[in-house]
Amino acid sequence: IQCDQLSPEWFQLHVGRATGSHAGDILDFTLKGIEGSTRRSYRLLKAAEILTGIGIGIEENYVSPEMEWGIATEKKARRAYALEEGVFVEQVGFVIGDDGRFGCSPDGLVGDKGLVGFKCPKTITHLRWILDGVIPEDHLPQARFELMVNTDREWFDFVTFDPRITGRHKPKQMMTIRLERADAKIEAMRAAADRFMDEVAETVLRLDRIAPPVEIEEEEAVSVPVDQSGMLTDADFEGLN
């Protein structure tokens, strides 16, 4: 779906769907298998979206200087990657999975087979990733989730980019690491995502049992302006599990 990211339409497409940027949240369990607080908050957020029909605080409003840098630099990263790989990177607003329960906003579609994600971190983080030579563990869930949603894509390129590295060290400016669809953990991600959305549905049903919905005549329905800028927290759902 072509739309501007962070636009009202883009936020609305997130309603009731688990999305790639929160793939790591879906996997948040303690060593004892107990749901973590981050996953619980995201589960309740999805339930809130279903009940209200609006995209409530899909992303945090706070933008750190590092995040501002990353957003501003992504276009340069896209051009550098396209030139290095000799490919065209197609931008897309939002992709909905075949079953409608999942979605993501890839940084780019590459040809007929690839996805690409750009990261423009602090220089020390960029250099650490180069030395490690693997996709950082906290970014793997999103990469796998995007391949899970885009079933026609065979690989995902993780690109770390820092244009502050220039001169004779320019070869260190960018590194690309590829994740192939054959990664067995992509199917594990699907199982975890299915379980998560099943639990979101169960949460909505539990809320209905506590406070059963009522029939409302069409003329009684009132449209109330809603401030979508606020992020829901656990305090909004005190007492719910």
Side-chain angles (χ1 to χ4, degrees):
I1 298 175
Q2 291 295 344
C3 62
D4 293 331
Q5 294 191 18
L6 303 181
S7 67
E9 179 186 1
W10 184 81
F11 276 109
Q12 200 62 25
L13 288 168
H14 288 67
V15 172
R17 293 189 177 98
T19 58
S21 58
H22 288 276
D25 298 346
I26 292 173
L27 304 176
D28 179 33
F29 288 93
T30 68
L31 293 176
K32 294 183 179 180
I34 300 172
E35 182 181 43
S37 60
T38 301
R39 186 181 189 276
R40 177 176 181 270
S41 293
Y42 188 49
R43 174 169 55 83
L44 291 172
L45 175 59
K46 292 293 110 178
E49 290 175 353
I50 292 170
L51 293 172
T52 63
I54 59 174
I56 304 176
I58 300 298
E59 300 290 347
E60 296 182 28
N61 292 320
Y62 173 70
V63 178
S64 68
E66 290 80 9
M67 293 168 64
E68 289 181 347
W69 164 263
I71 293 171
T73 310
E74 185 177 313
K75 289 182 180 179
K76 292 181 180 179
R78 183 177 293 106
R79 288 196 297 268
Y81 170 81
L83 182 63
E84 177 75 17
E85 300 294 330
V87 296
F88 173 73
V89 179
E90 178 186 355
Q91 293 182 252
V92 61
F94 195 78
V95 178
I96 298 175
D98 293 339
D99 61 4
R101 299 208 298 177
F102 311 114
C104 63
S105 298
D107 288 341
L109 306 179
V110 186
D112 297 326
K113 298 182 178 180
L115 295 167
V116 63
F118 300 105
K119 301 298 179 185
C120 306
K122 293 186 292 185
T123 301
I124 58 173
T125 301
H126 173 75
L127 296 177
R128 183 174 71 248
W129 289 351
I130 289 178
L131 287 170
D132 291 345
V134 296
I135 298 177
E137 193 66 31
D138 54 343
H139 290 287
L140 270 172
Q142 182 173 357
R144 289 169 176 149
F145 192 98
E146 292 193 8
L147 282 170
M148 180 195 84
V149 171
N150 294 271
T151 56
D152 59 333
R153 301 283 155 168
E154 297 180 4
W155 47 263
F156 177 99
D157 272 354
F158 175 89
V159 178
T160 179
F161 178 77
D162 187 350
R164 291 165 291 203
I165 302 176
T166 59
R168 65 192 186 93
H169 293 296
K170 190 174 181 179
K172 304 177 185 68
Q173 190 177 88
M174 183 175 70
M175 183 181 70
T176 301
I177 306 170
R178 180 163 295 184
L179 176 70
E180 300 285 351
R181 173 168 291 283
D183 187 325
K185 291 189 176 180
I186 292 175
E187 285 307 309
M189 172 60 74
R190 175 171 293 280
D194 281 333
R195 174 184 173 183
F196 174 79
M197 289 307 298
D198 288 344
E199 291 178 14
V200 169
E202 291 172 4
T203 300
V204 173
L205 288 175
R206 184 183 174 198
L207 288 163
D208 283 347
R209 288 194 294 270
I210 295 171
V214 296
E215 295 295 330
I216 298 179
E217 296 294 334
E218 186 174 343
E219 59 270 19
E220 294 180 21
V222 178
S223 177
V224 180
V226 178
D227 178 7
Q228 299 188 29
S229 64
M231 189 71 175
L232 293 180
T233 66
D234 286 348
D236 297 295
F237 300 94
E238 194 65 37
L240 289 177
N241 294 320

